[in-house]
Amino acid sequence: MNILRKKILFSAIFLIVSRMLVAAPTDTISVMVYNLLFYGHYTSFCTPVNNNVDDKDGYLKTIIDHTLPDIFAVNEMGPNAALAQRILNNVMNTNGRTHYAHATFTNTTGSNLVNMLFYNTNRFQLYDEAVVANVLRDINLYSLYYDDPGLALGADTLFIHILVAHLKAGSSASDQQTRMQEVSSMMGYIEQKEIRGNVLFMGDFNMNSSFEQAYQLLTWHPNEEIRFYDPVGQSGVWWNNPDMAPWHTQSTRVGSHDCFVTGGMDDRYDQIIVTQSIMEGTRGLHYVTDSYKTIGQDGQRFNQSLITPPNHSEPPDVISALFNMSDHLPVKLSLAVTDFVSSVAGLDNTPGFVTVNIPGEKFEIILDDKTGPAKLEVFDARGVVVDRMELNIDTLPYPISVNISFLQPGTYLVRISLEGMKPVVQRLIVL
């Protein structure tokens, strides 16, 4: 692209900062992951008779009507992009809902089963997508930008990164080694690309215990910034352990079934784990204590089915839908949205005015209120800092000139912080 054609488009050229920096209102968002069990993909054992996709649409709709997640990740969708649109049309955007969208279909490995993400566009916009590992199946990274209409202008610098995986099944040494390769590849990617802050890793991990090498890498990674934590702190042996019954996610059935795995509830394969930023709420999202839940699990299911003994943990129609939909149960948690600039939330002052000029290959921000140390940061769509300047504002007005010629087309955020004052944040688009 011709650099001279690049332009910076701001939602406002002249910004009155005091209007921008009202503290963000408290909000709560819900995140859910679910293995859909061969949704839309028929095999010799999962057939139109015992795993009919039309029937599954009805079951899944009942579950979504009840849970209404803002972020919904799925495993085991069939290898057809049209299936994502089918779920969107038949399940997500029904009963008057029109606000859900889905991410881009990927299948770089040619697998029979893929991941997908659905999200509430009233609260999020999808800014970036990547396949971060593909040892066996794609491991997907979806970066979302919190964009709630009620959020105060200037406080909406909140990114959340969702990693979705369906790791290798099986308990043999070879299976465990493959899972280690998958996780190692994923962790290498997010470390190299500096994916930091609010990161969740979710999906069907297919692990029997927290002692497995791959899980140890996730939760004890040498780089603490990308280390993951179990929100409910249930380390140990998950498989066939009655003490772990409240967290078991498979299997919903006993007896025999050609498509569904049976044997009763005794595995914690499906999980959501999060970074320290989310556990501590340091980057605008805070795990809501006790919100982590296996939908349909009452802790009384060890080696038994979802429906026997009677299950009163959810409405009867939801329990029935869970039983018929999949041999897994969905896992859900809630995140509280806090002020992104909470570290300076107690400060009342903000810079007086910021004027933005657009002179071609650079933009200028003119501060005309306060002197002292300052910092300017430019974030890309993943929330990664792509430029940073340490400044000393010693005269007023003080122009800050930022070169944009190296930026690729896309959406960015600029944040200016002055010592003792709340930051100024503004979105920009490079064309």
Side-chain angles (χ1 to χ4, degrees):
M1 173 178 288
N2 188 329
I3 291 176
L4 295 177
R5 295 181 59 197
K6 284 189 175 181
K7 294 183 290 184
I8 300 293
L9 303 181
F10 278 84
S11 59
I13 300 300
F14 298 99
L15 305 174
I16 301 177
V17 176
S18 60
R19 290 183 58 225
M20 295 175 56
L21 293 164
V22 178
T26 301
D27 192 9
T28 302
I29 61 175
S30 60
V31 181
M32 191 166 82
V33 64
Y34 195 14
N35 183 318
L36 302 185
L37 182 64
F38 285 80
Y39 177 90
H41 178 64
Y42 295 130
T43 69
S44 60
F45 50 91
C46 281
T47 69
V49 175
N50 64 21
N51 200 41
N52 184 273
V53 70
D54 295 322
D55 294 338
K56 290 173 80 74
D57 284 345
Y59 302 140
L60 186 56
K61 181 181 179 301
T62 297
I63 296 164
I64 293 299
D65 287 348
H66 178 65
T67 55
L68 292 176
D70 295 302
I71 297 172
F72 179 42
V74 305
N75 303 131
E76 292 203 16
M77 187 182 81
N80 186 336
L83 292 172
Q85 190 63 39
R86 179 187 178 110
I87 293 174
L88 192 69
N89 294 340
N90 295 354
V91 176
M92 308 304 295
N93 285 332
T94 59
N95 283 358
R97 297 186 296 265
T98 60
H99 56 264
Y100 283 104
H102 67 75
T104 304
F105 174 88
T106 73
N107 189 14
T108 66
T109 63
S111 171
N112 289 328
L113 301 170
V114 302
N115 307 315
M116 183 48 63
L117 187 84
F118 302 87
Y119 59 97
N120 179 350
T121 61
N122 287 339
R123 291 182 171 181
F124 293 98
Q125 298 299 323
L126 180 62
Y127 272 83
D128 197 26
E129 305 170 85
V131 175
V132 301
N134 53 8
V135 174
L136 179 66
R137 289 180 281 260
D138 289 359
I139 297 180
N140 298 93
L141 170 64
Y142 308 101
S143 295
L144 302 173
Y145 178 80
Y146 183 74
D147 199 25
D148 192 288
L151 190 66
L153 183 63
D156 57 352
T157 55
L158 189 58
F159 287 88
I160 180 170
H161 309 287
I162 312 293
L163 291 155
V164 183
H166 181 194
L167 302 180
K168 177 71 171 67
S171 57
S172 71
S174 175
D175 295 328
Q176 294 184 48
Q177 183 58 37
T178 299
R179 287 194 289 271
M180 180 59 182
Q181 291 172 3
E182 292 176 295
V183 168
S184 180
S185 180
M186 180 192 80
M187 296 299 280
Y189 180 96
I190 65 174
E191 183 169 40
Q192 178 188 6
K193 298 295 184 180
E194 298 184 336
I195 307 299
R196 302 289 188 268
N198 301 318
V199 187
L200 298 90
F201 180 39
M202 63 182 71
D204 183 351
F205 294 174
N206 274 314
M207 299 184 198
N208 287 334
S209 81
S210 65
F211 305 124
E212 184 169 323
Q213 188 180 12
Y215 203 82
Q216 290 289 298
L217 180 61
L218 289 165
T219 56
W220 291 100
H221 194 279
N223 185 343
E224 293 184 6
E225 290 189 307
I226 61 172
R227 189 178 294 173
F228 289 95
Y229 296 82
D230 179 1
V232 291
Q234 295 299 313
S235 60
V237 176
W238 302 310
W239 174 73
N240 206 30
N241 182 350
D243 293 337
M244 293 292 179
W247 315 110
H248 286 158
T249 66
Q250 195 196 39
S251 167
T252 57
R253 293 170 179 255
V254 295
S256 62
H257 194 284
D258 288 340
C259 182
F260 289 52
V261 170
T262 60
M265 304 298 298
D266 60 3
D267 295 298
R268 191 195 177 194
Y269 287 159
D270 309 272
Q271 296 189 37
I272 304 174
I273 55 179
V274 304
T275 51
Q276 187 175 16
S277 295
I278 291 177
M279 292 302 296
E280 297 182 351
T282 57
R283 295 293 296 272
L285 288 175
H286 197 178
Y287 167 67
V288 176
T289 304
D290 296 330
S291 68
Y292 189 106
K293 183 180 182 182
T294 301
I295 306 298
Q297 178 59 269
D298 59 3
Q300 307 301 313
R301 309 286 114 199
F302 182 63
N303 280 333
Q304 299 184 79
S305 81
L306 189 68
I307 59 175
T308 306
N311 189 333
H312 304 293
S313 65
E314 305 292 347
D317 62 330
V318 175
I319 295 297
S320 177
L322 291 166
F323 180 76
N324 289 292
M325 176 68 198
S326 174
D327 52 16
H328 293 250
L329 293 177
V331 174
K332 185 181 180 185
L333 58 73
S334 297
L335 302 175
V337 179
T338 58
D339 188 354
F340 180 78
V341 293
S342 58
S343 61
V344 292
L347 302 174
D348 294 328
N349 296 324
T350 59
F353 289 89
V354 176
T355 303
V356 180
N357 297 324
I358 308 173
E361 296 183 18
K362 63 181 180 180
F363 68 86
E364 275 191 350
I365 300 171
I366 301 175
L367 302 179
D368 62 0
D369 186 78
K370 179 179 170 60
T371 60
K375 179 170 64 175
L376 181 144
E377 298 165 293
V378 180
F379 298 84
D380 69 9
R382 300 165 298 159
V384 175
V385 176
V386 295
D387 196 13
R388 178 184 284 115
M389 300 170 61
E390 300 289 341
L391 305 164
N392 183 40
I393 311 301
D394 53 6
T395 60
L396 293 175
Y398 190 91
I400 305 172
S401 181
V402 182
N403 176 28
I404 64 164
S405 62
F406 71 96
L407 296 178
Q408 297 297 314
T411 301
Y412 298 84
L413 296 167
V414 177
R415 181 171 66 187
I416 306 167
S417 306
L418 280 80
E419 189 173 275
M421 290 189 167
K422 291 182 180 179
V424 177
V425 182
Q426 181 62 24
R427 182 168 15 186
L428 60 93
I429 299 173
V430 177
L431 299 178

